[in-house]
Amino acid sequence: MEELEHASSVELKDPDQALKLYHSITSQTVTSDDEAKIKEVELALSSMGKLLAKQNKAKELANLIKSIRPFLGVVSKAKASKIVRELVDTFLDMGSKTGLEIPLCLECIEWAKSEKRTFLTQALEARLVLLYHSNGDYTQALNTVNRVMKVLKKMDDKQLLMEVQLSESKVYHTLGNVPKARAALTSARTTANSIYVPPKLQSALDMQSGILHGEEKDFKTAFSYFYEAFEGYDSVEHPYALDGLKYMLLCKIMLGAPDDVQALLTGKMGLKYSGRGIDAMKAIADAGKKRDISIFNKTIAEYDDELKKDPVVQNHLKALYDNLLEKNLVRIIEPYSRVQIAHVAETINLAYDIVEKKLSQIILDKKFSGILDQGSGVLIVYDGSESDQTYTYALDTITHMGIVVDVLFKKAQKLS
């Protein structure tokens, strides 16, 4: 254990030296009756895997997973499954996109099958679903889900079943099938109610719930779920905590409360997760507050990677754009009673046809009173006046009088 402690102590100062020490520990020949040595190698493998992940050495970590199979034959099946799953999870959580992820996972599954390790096989196949999903191979992902679910229901492994159901929900959401995504998530939550769910997995459930509520435009409920997901991921120092915070800010923007964005980012939360992703959301909130479409377009161009490459944010960008364009147009025409459409288009820096079409839509949606004079290319704005309720009240009175007359008529018939 002294060599292991020495390796741990030099990790920060000299990572390469620490890796050499870990490698020398894991390369030792171990017998099944030497429990102390087995424990030391197990801890060294875990630490070495985490250190390789920190240094983003994906190939070296993949080679480590393949090289430990002789050692796995010495330990119990349960311990071997735990070691393999931990190392594979560490490798996949790196998100390095080396192209080794699916081949490595398939190879580990084949090895687990050959060793008749059923539980490990299903656990790895559950991770394979997410890999197919992130790789865009949705048919393979759904086929794997269907195959694994049949086995898991027989095994009665509820935690793994819940993970697969959650993965199924993610795949259906990406395909745009929200009802099926909602049904799969409901199944996952039902399964979760009867077992202990680790914080990381509970956060994943909350995150998916928030995303689906966002799809249904219920941003208040979505915010609550994203907050729960953020707290869960933050408690285990998981990088997805940043996504949770971004989606919380997105909900506030979609709810038309850009001022709340700055309030959320005050204190430790804002300092801990500051970066381009949060700066992008702050810039969009600023555009919403100023009702300025040009600031919005500049933000999209400047933070293209942070906004357009995030599928959740991307899904709401068009709605954000339409909403902001409406507010921007209303802000420009507010001072006028009569204004040329060409002037509005020039002020907002958009094509004439786009502005004319949007103004027509705003008028039809009764966002403001006015008409478009297409002959002269002018928008005539009317003063917002309260609708006259006299006729409505008169009709209500006549309706109630009719009811009274009908009742009196029935009573008169009974008397006669």
Side-chain angles (χ1 to χ4, degrees), residues 58-60 62 66 91-92 97-105 131:
K59 288 183 181 178
E60 289 83 349
K66 293 174 189 176
F91 177 79
L92 298 179
K97 301 284 183 186
T98 58
L100 297 170
E101 292 85 4
I102 291 176
L104 176 68
C105 203
L131 288 175

Side-chain angles (χ1 to χ4, degrees), residues 34 56 103 133 195 197 207 215 227 280-281 350 368 390 394 408:
D34 192 346
N56 207 27
H133 172 241
I195 58 169
V197 182
M207 185 78 91
E215 290 288 345
Y227 185 77
M281 302 312 294
L350 286 173
F368 73 89
T390 306
L408 289 172

